[in-house]
Amino acid sequence: MKKIGICNDHTGLAYKTRLIAYLLGKGFEVVNFGTDSPESCDYPDYAHPLANAVEAGEVDGGIALCGTGNGMSLALNHHRGIRAGLAWNTTVARLVKEHNNANILVIPARFVSYRMAVMMVRVWLTSSFAGGRHQRRIDKIVQP
Ligand code: RB5
């Protein structure tokens, strides 16, 4: 992954700003789809533009932040081409790539430290999808 999209609501603004600096420092290109205002806002307004960009291949993957991570996850996973996975520690961040091949990592900004958030981003970016039985399971997600 070279080009990362990122989105947030007001609860994720501080972490988003720091994560952008972290990613740019690591040589990634970053596209910001989130709010840059601390005013209260509606997470779907920022989730859908990120999801559209991932689906269109305009970015290679995404990171989304809201308070619990659930609002972003729910909105993002309405998109057929999106597998948005919520993570709260580095093991889950690894497994959400290895098992679920999440193309968007969702971070619950109100419930993890910034240190944990950046470690999860690093782990998610450097992990690989395991394929095999996990591909079969992913295929079944869109065949209810
Ligand atoms: C905002 O208060 C909060 O509801 C939002 O960030 C998110 O946690 C929703 O799921």
Side-chain angles (χ1 to χ4, degrees):
M1 262 187 223
K2 285 305 294 171
K3 193 171 179 181
I4 309 291
I6 193 164
C7 81
N8 61 286
D9 69 0
H10 52 293
T11 69
L13 174 59
Y15 286 9
K16 185 276 296 283
T17 304
R18 295 175 73 181
L19 284 173
I20 289 176
Y22 169 80
L23 290 165
L24 292 174
K26 293 289 177 193
F28 290 95
E29 207 178 320
V30 182
V31 183
N32 178 15
F33 294 96
T35 180
D36 289 307
S37 163
E39 296 301 314
S40 182
C41 65
D42 301 338
Y43 52 81
D45 293 343
Y46 304 96
H48 294 308
L50 172 62
N52 289 334
V54 173
E55 285 186 308
E58 292 164 11
V59 293
D60 302 319
I63 297 165
L65 303 110
C66 69
T68 63
N70 279 313
M72 284 291 183
S73 299
L74 291 164
L76 292 162
N77 281 313
H78 263 274
H79 293 249
R80 200 174 174 85
I82 298 301
R83 287 175 307 283
L86 178 62
W88 53 92
N89 64 37
T90 51
T91 304
V92 178
R94 175 174 57 80
L95 291 172
V96 86
K97 178 68 82 60
E98 289 183 358
H99 288 189
N100 311 117
N101 202 15
N103 51 10
I104 299 182
L105 174 69
V106 185
I107 296 174
R110 280 183 168 155
F111 296 92
V112 297
S113 64
Y114 175 72
R115 183 174 143 76
M116 177 57 69
V118 75
M119 287 192 304
M120 293 195 299
V121 166
R122 191 177 65 214
V123 166
W124 175 72
L125 284 169
T126 54
S127 299
S128 302
F129 180 47
R133 67 185 186 282
H134 300 295
Q135 183 62 58
R136 183 182 69 238
R137 292 164 186 170
I138 285 172
D139 292 342
K140 289 183 178 181
I141 293 173
V142 290
Q143 296 160 4

